[in-house]
Amino acid sequence: MILKHLLRPALLLTAAALTLGASPPLDWNRVVTRTPQQSTILGNPAAKVKLTTFVSYTCPHCREFELESDAGLKLKYIRSGKVSVEIKHVVRDPIDLTVAMLTNCGLKDRFPLNHSAFMRSQPVWIQTLARSSKAQQARWTTGELPTRTRAIAADFRFYEIMASRGYDRVTVDRCLADGAMAQRLAAGSEAASKLGVDHTPSFAIDGALLYGTDGWSLLQPQIEARM
């Protein structure tokens, strides 16, 4: 009887120690995977529901989707590991290409906040397009890739956005001269077109394109239905 009373507190202490030492549940928002096709998967690559978003950085509706969906996707779906989100780039013009090269600059773990920074500041930098001269537009579309992308980065003040993210000029220029990345982005855009993507944002779940779904209010119920 005495032995039983002595053992019980010891067992309780052991259980408490194991509980305190247990690892917290994995927050899948911290897991970022870069694919060979230059897209990025946020969350559990083996999630039950695999959402793909096709976005363009010069598309105002894509920015609206970013603002409307960001918190819900991260807090309710990605964090649990039940839903992953793959961001695929649709390159509509030289500005789109330049921004996509910058958001993918450096380590893959930097992509989510790079992506958010450019999407959320879009109303500011996109004004350069409306105010641009023919001479500026010529610089954006002629010459070698580094010449074009650096001209765009200078005119749209992308260097300042990247500096706010901790990138120096040398690193940014190296990314803007990455011809292999530019080819992967162009190929990914072409593949999206062949899949049937004719506007942005567009969405697919488990590889099936969602026709008639153009925003978060229509997308969220379809995610819920598959969980």
Side-chain angles (χ1 to χ4, degrees):
M1 192 68 163
I2 295 174
L3 181 60
K4 181 179 180 181
H5 285 297
L6 288 174
L7 287 174
R8 186 176 178 186
L11 290 172
L12 290 174
L13 287 172
T14 301
L18 289 173
T19 301
L20 290 172
S23 300
L26 175 62
D27 179 357
W28 283 99
N29 284 300
R30 299 177 180 275
V31 177
V32 180
T33 306
R34 179 174 288 164
T35 74
Q37 293 75 37
Q38 206 66 51
S39 63
T40 301
I41 299 173
L42 309 180
N44 180 6
K48 179 181 178 182
V49 180
K50 297 178 176 62
L51 170 66
T52 303
T53 64
F54 299 88
V55 298
S56 159
Y57 288 107
T58 56
C59 161
H61 298 297
C62 294
R63 177 182 180 271
E64 291 172 9
F65 173 74
E66 169 75 13
L67 296 177
E68 292 172 356
S69 68
D70 187 52
L73 281 173
K74 288 179 179 176
L75 296 177
K76 187 174 183 180
Y77 299 113
I78 298 175
R79 174 181 286 180
S80 68
K82 295 178 181 178
V83 178
S84 66
V85 178
E86 183 174 6
I87 298 175
K88 291 192 174 184
H89 304 281
V90 177
V91 178
R92 306 193 305 175
D93 52 51
I95 294 87
D96 256 327
L97 174 63
T98 301
V99 178
M101 293 177 75
L102 292 175
T103 58
N104 284 276
C105 187
L107 298 175
K108 59 183 175 60
D109 292 340
R110 306 208 67 185
F111 173 83
L113 290 182
N114 289 345
H115 173 80
S116 180
F118 277 94
M119 277 296 190
R120 291 171 184 267
S121 63
Q122 184 202 81
V124 176
W125 56 258
I126 201 69
Q127 294 178 30
T128 300
L129 187 58
R131 298 195 301 258
S132 62
S133 66
K134 290 185 178 180
Q136 282 179 303
Q137 294 173 19
R139 290 199 300 272
W140 303 343
T141 56
T142 57
E144 298 296 322
L145 175 69
T147 302
R148 302 195 310 267
T149 54
R150 288 171 187 172
I152 291 170
D155 289 349
F156 284 81
R157 305 189 71 174
F158 291 159
Y159 284 109
E160 285 87 339
I161 296 175
M162 294 299 283
S164 73
R165 293 282 302 125
Y167 289 83
D168 59 39
R169 183 84 175 222
V170 173
T171 301
V172 173
D173 282 345
R174 187 183 305 120
C175 289
L176 292 173
D178 191 339
M181 185 200 298
Q183 289 179 358
R184 290 193 295 273
L185 289 166
S189 188
E190 184 178 348
S193 179
K194 290 180 178 178
L195 183 64
V197 174
D198 58 4
H199 66 280
T200 54
S202 285
F203 310 97
I205 292 182
D206 298 334
L209 196 63
L210 305 180
Y211 294 98
T213 302
D214 57 5
W216 181 235
S217 63
L218 294 175
L219 176 62
Q220 186 178 18
Q222 297 183 71
I223 296 173
E224 287 282 350
R226 289 166 172 80
M227 291 183 67

